[in-house]
Amino acid sequence: MTVDKGLLAGSTAMLVLRLLEQEDMYGYQMIETLRRESENVFELKAGTLYPLLHSLERKGLLESYEQEAGGARIRKYYRITQKGIGFYREKHREWKKYSSAVNRVMGGAHCEAT
Amino acid sequence: MKQPDAFNRYIDEVCGQVRCKKARPDIAGELAAHMDDQQAAYEVMGLSETEARRETVRQMGDPVTVGMALDRTHRPTPDIATLLAVMALVLLGVYLQSIVLGGSWSEYHYLPHFAEAAAVGAAVMAAAYLLDFTLLAKYPLRFYLIAALFFFLWPAVAFPAHQPWFTGYFGYTLLLFVPLYCGVIYAFKDKGRRGVLCCGLLALLPSGLAFLQPAPTAMLILGGSCCTVLCAAVLRGWFGRQDKYAFLLAVIPLVGAAVLFAVLLWWQSLLNAATATGIMPGDSRAIFLDSIMRYNTVSHTGMNAELNWENIQDVFANARLAGQMSVPPSGMQPGNINFFQSDFMLLYIIAKYGWGPGLLVIGGIAALVARMFALAFRQRNRLAFFVLLGISSVFAIQSAIFFLTNFGILTIRSFSLPLVLCTGWGLVVSMCLIGLFLSVYKYKGIISERAMRKAAG
């Protein structure tokens, strides 16, 4: 089922921060992990991800470092900062409140993401 | 890894939308690595190399849209708050100096002189803001040694025989060595204790030039600032060593400056003895030694001969929050303080107008210096961190010497308080350093360490 991209747009930052809260990742790895864990619902394009990552880094929510990835290739990894963890938790609370409200209006079971 | 042409074309088109050229290498590298990973994944899925490349480019999205989004994220951001703080301090200084100097403001042509310095300072600040600080990483020793040669030749060529009025120009301009020294530290990455030793010894170069003039206050500021940056570099593992021996080597700049300063004070005692034996005027050695004496404020041409620890403490004990101080038993009054060379202008302001204006000056400069240090420590790019820390240290030490002199704790000739109680060439140099500070800061988060090292070769 194709999901309206507008539903994803507002929560992409939250999803990215969630991934990085679990472990440091590089860009391609984030796209693949997101696709796998969402069972192909979220298919983030690189052209959307990298501007977001750079923006979050400039705001101090992430920091990056480089590691050799075999051969002459260098991979840029991202790591969430303390400020990023605080931002993510706030966004997560907002999301839980929002999704609970939507579910109540839609008449579905009260759903609390964990 | 060599990129296929299709990938290069895509990356070039994306980067073409990013106006900040310094950000392009990092963006290109990251996109190239991503596209390699994506192509490899498609080939594992069974696509041919050509099909995998085509699909990879398609999946990346429209290059112009992607590039414009990256451009928005990678714009150099000027630090407006610091710029406004600097302007406010300069205006505060103009206001206070116009009140203090009163009729003398026009009588001694201070206003045109200040206006000229401010205009030159603003132009120099703008020029420094446009400088490419990454050049410090590319040619560190070259810049450093050329500057050293310039400062060595300048007094001999332009103004022989150690003219005292020239010392101010020379001393202030020497402070511009500090950003150059930060580039030198950057060049010695991972060089261990040998690197720390080399940096420590190279820091003695500007202090030595100050010694030759002599400009003792500049020597202390240079020694302290260079030592601060070098210690910070050791602490952050820049040289690959963080042991106690590395720290001992890192204090060479400060110890060296202190030793040279002690030597100058010893020569001062020689002057006293030489004067007693009647050295004829015009003797070049006497003129040289006499210029050292000017760095003892109490004996400086007798203009502040009445100022000593007790008198200064009388001022503080009898100063009011606003308005002129009450007269103590010693008879000390604002009129006893000579402020025309701005050395004791803060003391005069407190004596004549009260603690209110005095604390405004102290608080203003302290707030600016604190902000400068805070911005320095936010830098992840090492060269940027060193340069911002170095400039912050110059302002901090220069201000500290000024305050300690006005409080009677130091008896050396201070430099004027940066930006606030500052005119002439001192104002121009301070604004130049601020321009460089703002130039480095605007690239915060844009230039990675790897891109910087690549530029440095």
Side-chain angles (χ1 to χ4, degrees):
Chain A
M1 181 178 99
T2 310
V3 174
D4 184 356
K5 286 176 186 170
L7 291 175
L8 174 62
S11 48
T12 310
M14 184 183 67
L15 294 173
V16 165
L17 290 171
R18 168 62 178 164
L19 293 178
L20 294 175
E21 197 194 26
Q22 295 168 318
E23 65 174 300
D24 297 356
M25 290 185 187
Y26 54 96
Y28 181 76
Q29 187 184 7
M30 285 181 227
I31 290 174
E32 288 303 302
T33 306
L34 199 57
R35 192 203 330 266
R36 189 177 61 248
E37 292 193 0
S38 69
E39 296 179 359
N40 296 324
V41 171
F42 299 144
E43 294 191 358
L44 197 56
K45 281 200 175 339
T48 305
L49 176 67
Y50 287 109
L52 173 65
L53 288 174
H54 294 181
S55 170
L56 294 175
E57 188 178 11
R58 280 208 93 177
K59 290 176 185 170
L61 304 180
L62 304 178
E63 50 192 29
S64 63
Y65 59 94
E66 285 163 347
Q67 266 188 17
E68 286 184 14
R73 206 195 300 181
I74 303 285
R75 272 209 188 109
K76 191 174 180 183
Y77 281 77
Y78 290 88
R79 162 172 55 217
I80 193 168
T81 60
Q82 280 301 120
K83 189 178 176 186
I85 291 173
F87 181 83
Y88 161 68
R89 286 179 183 161
E90 188 190 328
K91 287 295 163 193
H92 192 204
R93 276 195 294 274
E94 284 177 18
W95 172 257
K96 284 201 296 188
K97 196 173 176 180
Y98 172 78
S99 60
S100 297
V102 168
N103 283 331
R104 278 199 297 277
V105 169
M106 299 295 282
H110 191 69
C111 174
E112 296 223 353
T114 54
Chain B
M1 184 173 172
K2 192 173 182 304
Q3 293 293 313
D5 285 342
F7 286 6
N8 283 335
R9 277 198 301 274
Y10 180 86
I11 291 169
D12 285 345
E13 203 164 347
V14 167
C15 290
Q17 304 302 314
V18 178
R19 284 173 285 180
C20 178
K21 289 181 184 172
K22 293 196 186 311
R24 289 178 186 173
D26 281 336
I27 292 170
E30 194 169 21
L31 292 179
H34 180 98
M35 294 173 89
D36 283 343
D37 286 336
Q38 184 70 78
Q39 180 188 344
Y42 281 137
E43 287 177 10
V44 166
M45 285 164 59
L47 270 65
S48 69
E49 188 180 331
T50 309
E51 288 167 341
R53 281 207 302 272
R54 190 168 48 238
E55 186 61 18
T56 296
V57 172
R58 193 188 70 78
Q59 278 291 321
M60 293 296 288
D62 175 51
V64 172
T65 307
V66 172
M68 287 171 65
L70 287 167
D71 175 64
R72 280 192 292 275
T73 318
H74 290 280
R75 279 183 200 156
T77 313
D79 182 19
I80 302 294
T82 299
L83 183 61
L84 290 176
V86 166
M87 288 168 58
L89 286 172
V90 172
L91 289 173
L92 175 66
V94 171
Y95 176 66
L96 288 173
Q97 289 183 75
S98 63
I99 293 174
V100 165
L101 295 171
S104 305
W105 188 254
S106 56
E107 181 186 339
Y108 292 98
H109 307 293
Y110 282 121
L111 185 57
H113 182 63
F114 182 87
E116 184 186 318
V120 172
V124 167
M125 185 169 75
Y129 184 75
L130 296 173
L131 283 177
D132 179 5
F133 84 99
T134 60
L135 289 175
L136 289 174
K138 210 166 179 182
Y139 309 110
L141 285 169
R142 213 173 295 184
F143 282 141
Y144 199 70
L145 295 175
I146 288 172
L149 189 62
F150 168 77
F151 279 100
F152 183 74
L153 294 175
W154 185 17
V157 170
F159 302 103
H162 307 285
Q163 297 298 324
W165 61 268
F166 171 70
T167 300
Y169 284 92
F170 189 84
Y172 278 115
T173 314
L174 270 177
L175 300 183
L176 298 177
F177 249 104
V178 174
L180 299 180
Y181 180 67
C182 297
V184 170
I185 290 180
Y186 193 79
F188 280 89
K189 179 174 164 57
D190 292 330
K191 300 294 185 197
R193 284 185 207 152
R194 184 178 67 87
V196 183
L197 177 63
C198 287
C199 289
L201 293 174
L202 283 168
L204 296 178
L205 199 52
S207 293
L209 290 166
F211 174 81
L212 291 175
Q213 181 50 28
T217 309
M219 225 161 53
L220 293 178
I221 298 173
L222 287 164
S225 304
C226 293
C227 183
T228 301
V229 182
L230 189 54
C231 287
V234 171
L235 212 60
R236 291 207 166 187
W238 182 250
F239 299 97
R241 301 293 292 260
Q242 281 179 293
D243 56 28
K244 59 183 176 188
Y245 298 109
F247 278 112
L248 282 174
L249 293 171
V251 298
I252 286 175
L254 189 60
V255 169
V259 166
L260 290 174
F261 189 76
V263 169
L264 279 180
L265 291 180
W266 172 66
W267 279 8
Q268 180 182 343
S269 67
L270 287 184
L271 171 69
N272 293 335
T275 306
T277 59
I279 290 177
M280 298 300 292
D283 182 277
S284 60
R285 178 171 168 274
I287 294 171
F288 175 73
L289 293 175
D290 178 62
S291 65
I292 301 172
M293 266 193 70
R294 292 169 187 279
Y295 288 89
N296 183 318
T297 50
V298 171
S299 60
H300 174 50
T301 64
M303 289 171 85
N304 272 308
E306 294 173 18
L307 271 186
N308 54 34
W309 169 261
E310 286 78 22
N311 289 341
I312 292 174
Q313 299 318 304
D314 273 344
V315 170
F316 291 137
N318 293 280
R320 301 177 210 269
L321 185 59
Q324 187 161 323
M325 62 181 279
S326 52
V327 181
S330 62
M332 182 67 186
Q333 295 182 68
N336 297 122
I337 304 169
N338 184 296
F339 53 80
F340 276 93
Q341 309 244 354
S342 80
D343 291 15
F344 289 97
M345 192 170 281
L346 178 64
L347 184 68
Y348 181 82
I349 287 171
I350 293 172
K352 180 80 176 172
Y353 301 104
W355 277 107
L359 289 174
L360 192 60
V361 169
I362 296 170
I365 201 72
L368 175 67
V369 170
R371 179 174 173 80
M372 290 170 77
F373 275 113
L375 293 180
F377 279 97
R378 281 188 216 162
Q379 294 294 319
R380 298 200 61 223
N381 180 292
R382 284 292 176 258
L383 179 61
F385 167 66
F386 294 151
V387 174
L388 296 194
L389 182 65
I391 295 174
S392 305
S393 300
V394 168
F395 274 68
I397 297 171
Q398 185 177 339
S399 303
I401 291 175
F402 180 86
F403 292 140
L404 292 175
T405 303
N406 276 256
F407 297 159
I409 297 170
L410 282 180
T411 57
I412 62 169
R413 176 88 181 269
S414 70
F415 278 6
S416 49
L417 189 63
L419 304 171
V420 188
L421 300 178
C422 188
T423 58
W425 193 244
L427 182 61
V428 173
V429 170
S430 294
M431 292 179 83
C432 179
L433 288 171
I434 290 289
L436 190 58
F437 187 97
L438 294 173
S439 172
V440 173
Y441 182 78
K442 76 183 179 210
Y443 288 114
K444 177 176 174 282
I446 290 179
I447 307 175
S448 71
E449 196 58 42
R450 188 170 71 89
M452 186 72 75
R453 297 303 299 172
K454 204 172 174 183

